[in-house]
Amino acid sequence: MMEAHARIEAKPLRATRPSELRRHQRVKVALLGRYMLSDRREYPCQTVDMSPGGVRLTCAVLGSLEERIVLYLEHVGRIEGTIARFTPGGLAVQLSATLRKRDKIASQLTWLANRDSLGLPEGRTHERLTPSQPGVTLRLESGREVAARVIDVSMSGVALTTATTPPIGASIMVGRTPGRVVRHFEGGIGVQFMLPISPDRFHEGLTL
């Protein structure tokens, strides 16, 4: 019996069955990351939902069905899988993992779900600072440019004061940094970056 269990543990995940969905419940979670396709080029992405057996991504470059994909997600790290299907705005990945790795992902998702249910502010997972030059120009989806001022910034997002309030979910350029509007507050907006800022750029002299 132990040998059979070891063989099962080493196999990649099969296509999820209805009975497995109960064990691998999907969690709605927005994690920034990168993914690499078989051409070895990396692209930015963000998760829509995730389970220990699969993840749905918002991304621009889709690849091919059943193509191998390597993901690097904040809080989760490196995971691998294959492209299972295309979705509006992105794709779904079937993850390849041992039972031990799936258990680790399940624990991480439980922590993330509990964190969100406690109402912790989005985008506050990283240290925040105020740059020495806080003025920045925003470019909206329409191409219109407006002035804004950085309240504080982390490697994953920025809080801005601005007279303009783009809708939640709108794509926006903060200087030269692409992001997505994730919240409104009096006098400003919160933006989540499409890709985290690299640690070597994250200091008070940061220019977005």
Side-chain angles (χ1 to χ4, degrees), residues 156-179:
S156 61
V158 61
L160 302 157
T161 57
T162 177
T164 302
T165 309
I168 299 292
S171 297
I172 188 171
M173 291 291 292
V174 183
R176 294 177 295 175
T177 307

Side-chain angles (χ1 to χ4, degrees), residues 55-185:
V55 58
R56 189 155 54 103
L57 303 174
T58 298
C59 57
V61 179
L62 299 182
S64 305
L65 286 176
E66 300 186 357
E67 181 175 358
R68 181 174 175 270
I69 183 171
V70 179
L71 301 169
Y72 303 86
L73 301 176
E74 62 176 351
H75 303 301
V76 175
R78 184 183 188 274
I79 49 178
E80 298 183 26
T82 55
I83 298 174
R85 66 183 187 280
F86 301 124
T87 62
L91 54 85
V93 176
Q94 179 179 309
L95 298 179
S96 301
T98 63
L99 289 175
R100 179 177 295 179
K101 180 64 173 179
R102 293 204 300 270
D103 286 344
K104 182 179 179 182
I105 293 172
S107 297
Q108 290 165 322
L109 292 175
T110 299
W111 178 81
L112 290 166
N114 290 339
R115 182 197 69 173
D116 292 342
S117 69
L118 292 172
L120 298 179
E122 188 170 3
R124 294 280 171 173
T125 57
H126 294 123
E127 175 190 356
R128 302 181 80 86
L129 58 80
T130 301
S132 55
Q133 299 293 329
V136 69
T137 299
L138 308 182
R139 189 164 76 248
L140 310 182
E141 289 179 322
S142 64
R144 179 186 169 205
E145 294 188 349
V146 297
R149 187 176 183 86
V150 174
I151 300 172
D152 58 25
V153 61
S154 76
M155 286 189 285
S156 61
V158 61
L160 302 157
T161 57
T162 177
T164 302
T165 309
I168 299 292
S171 297
I172 188 171
M173 291 291 292
V174 183
R176 294 177 295 175
T177 307
R180 179 177 65 91
V181 179
V182 294
R183 65 183 184 276
H184 295 154
F185 53 86

Side-chain angles (χ1 to χ4, degrees), residues 11-68:
K11 287 182 178 179
L13 284 177
R14 303 183 308 276
T16 304
R17 299 174 180 173
S19 60
E20 291 174 324
L21 286 174
R22 288 190 289 272
R23 295 202 304 271
H24 298 319
Q25 183 177 1
R26 287 189 174 273
V27 175
K28 289 187 176 181
V29 61
L31 304 176
L32 292 174
R34 296 177 172 86
Y35 63 101
M36 184 175 67
L37 298 176
S38 57
D39 62 5
R40 304 192 67 81
R41 295 182 64 184
E42 290 191 8
Y43 308 94
C45 66
Q46 182 172 324
T47 63
V48 177
D49 54 40
M50 186 174 182
S51 78
V55 58
R56 189 155 54 103
L57 303 174
T58 298
C59 57
V61 179
L62 299 182
S64 305
L65 286 176
E66 300 186 357
E67 181 175 358
R68 181 174 175 270

